[in-house]
Amino acid sequence: MAARAGKETRHALAARKDDFYASPPEAVAAFLRVEAAFLPRNLWEPACGDGAIVKPLRAAGYRVHATDLVARGCPDSRAGEDFLMPFPVPDGVEGIVTNPPFKLAQAFVDRALLVVPYAAFLLRVGFLESAERRAWFQEGPLARVHISSRRLPMMHRDGWEGKKSTSAIGFAWFVWDRRHQGEPVIRWFDWREHA
């Protein structure tokens, strides 16, 4: 998405290519604080990109297996792996933490929940607003939604050379956790408190 004169506009799919928007470090720092009590120690980041999620998780002591379809510079990662295609799950993985291509977000969640009991995804808050996903949300083990009460720093697509703008889109960490019982819990965080 791009902001023009206070309005949101969509970039053409051709311009967005494989939808790579690096996660802001502020979002990852906040996630580590708000999910610390639930986060498994052995994780997989299947859309690791440049390592924006992988590096802080590793620095915090988590074991993180990193893969992506495209090599983008994430340290100690494997490229050429399409998360949506069947291949062996890395040994010992207990959870997935990622910021997937938004156009494939639901497919990424479905695949994640087939292979691990815990999955955390950085997604637009608008991911909740789909008539088609209503039944899907009601059937799945959505446990927590951590909404950023302050807009995250703008995530510009890879290679963007245009004007840098502030974000007009709300983001949240969506957490599916098979240990959770009951209705999903909605919480808010201010990333500036965790930066």
Side-chain angles (χ1 to χ4, degrees):
M1 298 274 184
R4 259 193 214 139
K7 291 186 179 179
E8 204 176 274
T9 59
R10 289 188 178 273
H11 291 277
L13 207 52
R16 290 182 7 225
K17 298 178 185 165
D18 53 4
D19 244 2
F20 174 61
Y21 292 76
S23 305
E26 297 87 351
V28 184
F31 171 75
L32 281 165
R33 297 294 296 271
V34 300
E35 265 301 293
F38 306 101
L39 194 57
R41 299 306 300 173
N42 296 314
L43 301 166
W44 180 9
E45 214 300 28
C48 66
D50 61 3
I53 292 176
V54 173
K55 291 184 272 189
L57 285 172
R58 287 177 178 165
Y62 293 90
R63 180 177 164 248
V64 185
H65 184 83
T67 61
D68 204 322
L69 186 60
V70 178
R72 298 190 188 280
C74 178
D76 191 26
S77 66
R78 273 198 344 234
E81 292 194 5
D82 184 344
F83 180 66
L84 299 179
M85 299 303 291
F87 61 87
V89 176
D91 288 339
V93 168
E94 304 163 300
I96 289 172
V97 179
T98 192
N99 172 10
F102 189 75
K103 64 186 177 187
L104 301 173
Q106 186 172 339
F108 262 67
V109 173
D110 286 340
R111 169 83 168 121
L113 294 177
L114 285 175
V115 298
V116 293
Y118 176 98
F121 284 63
L122 180 61
L123 299 168
R124 299 175 194 159
V125 173
F127 189 68
L128 289 168
E129 304 173 326
S130 171
E132 289 81 26
R133 280 194 289 269
R134 180 179 175 191
W136 178 79
F137 272 119
Q138 291 172 330
E139 292 169 8
L142 183 64
R144 291 170 293 285
V145 179
H146 301 283
I147 300 170
S148 181
S149 58
R150 184 183 307 272
R151 295 292 164 98
L152 291 173
M154 184 67 168
M155 291 184 268
H156 294 283
R157 82 171 176 273
D158 188 44
W160 175 252
E161 304 220 357
K163 183 181 175 190
K164 305 292 187 197
S165 61
T166 57
S167 182
I169 302 165
F171 281 87
W173 283 99
F174 289 70
V175 180
W176 287 265
D177 188 343
R178 295 203 187 278
R179 298 167 294 184
H180 179 78
Q181 296 183 3
E183 294 294 314
V185 175
I186 307 240
R187 296 181 176 147
W188 289 263
F189 69 91
D190 183 340
W191 58 264
R192 286 191 179 166
E193 294 173 2
H194 305 288

